[in-house]
Amino acid sequence: MAISPEQPRVDLEPPCWNNLPRILAWVLVIGLLILLGWGLVRAQQGNVQAGQPAPDFTLETFDGETYSLDALRGKVVVVNFWASWCVTCDEEALFLQEAWEVYEPRGDVVFLGVDYADTEPDAKAFLEHYGITYPNGPDKGTRIAQAYRIQGVPETYFISRDGILAFVQIGPFLSLASIQEQIDLLVEQ
């Protein structure tokens, strides 16, 4: 049977298939806008503040050990975000190591170095160069940095025995005494 010009042509595909690429494009655009908006809201919140519970995290060190912040409850924890490419991290690396050597024998103070957006060979070379002996590991996928909403490196977070963020240092420490002052306030509690 031939179709005459007067008879309408019938499409075998449903009309919604013709619009599928357009619908998918709009879904993608809306999804990206939602993701961008969520990121802007988080960025405006700034980093976590003193008085808030410290976000829990797990850090696998360069030596293969695993530390969980939740498992360290009952100890004072110093979390330092750093990177080998960070010029001001150089300035405070020796002060942090000196502080670690003072408090390590006590057993109730733990230092954790979180290497941010770095390569493992460069990070290990940095640790060796400065003689850093406290636990350090990479922030895989920047998950820890995102949880703390860091703004850059270095940043240091002092966490009380009960898991509350007690003090936040944005930028480098410029002396051993300034690090000890924050730790001493927490160990005396």
Side-chain angles (χ1 to χ4, degrees):
M1 173 165 149
I3 299 176
S4 69
E6 292 103 31
Q7 292 180 336
R9 184 169 177 237
V10 178
D11 286 329
L12 298 177
E13 290 185 29
C16 64
W17 290 113
N18 296 337
N19 292 325
L20 186 60
R22 195 176 339 194
I23 292 169
L24 289 175
W26 276 109
V27 168
L28 181 64
V29 167
I30 291 170
L32 288 172
L33 288 173
I34 290 170
L35 187 61
L36 179 64
W38 179 72
L40 288 172
V41 167
R42 284 186 56 96
Q44 289 177 343
Q45 291 174 334
N47 58 343
V48 291
Q49 300 294 313
Q52 296 177 339
D56 189 26
F57 64 87
T58 301
L59 176 72
E60 184 178 334
T61 68
F62 291 116
D63 296 331
E65 297 179 76
T66 301
Y67 290 85
S68 166
L69 184 60
D70 193 45
L72 295 172
R73 189 73 49 102
K75 297 182 182 206
V76 171
V77 181
V78 178
V79 179
N80 175 254
F81 289 90
W82 63 276
S84 65
W85 47 262
C86 165
V87 175
T88 56
C89 294
D90 291 355
E91 297 172 16
E92 77 172 359
L94 295 174
F95 297 131
L96 287 166
Q97 178 59 30
E98 287 179 56
W100 169 242
E101 291 170 5
V102 168
Y103 293 98
E104 179 187 17
R106 293 177 52 109
D108 63 344
V109 177
V110 176
F111 280 47
L112 295 175
V114 181
D115 182 33
Y116 175 75
D118 211 345
T119 65
E120 189 168 329
D122 289 343
K124 286 181 173 180
F126 179 94
L127 295 172
E128 187 175 330
H129 178 76
Y130 290 102
I132 307 298
T133 60
Y134 56 88
N136 275 270
D139 186 6
K140 296 179 180 173
T142 67
R143 288 184 187 100
I144 303 169
Q146 288 178 43
Y148 282 76
R149 299 189 305 265
I150 72 167
Q151 298 171 13
V153 289
E155 288 187 16
T156 307
Y157 295 79
F158 293 80
I159 302 164
S160 67
R161 297 175 194 277
D162 58 357
I164 301 299
L165 198 54
F167 181 76
V168 178
Q169 171 73 26
I170 305 295
F173 278 102
L174 302 177
S175 71
L176 172 61
S178 57
I179 298 170
Q180 288 180 292
E181 178 183 344
Q182 296 306 319
I183 296 172
D184 289 343
L185 289 171
L186 294 173
V187 296
E188 293 171 2
Q189 292 181 353

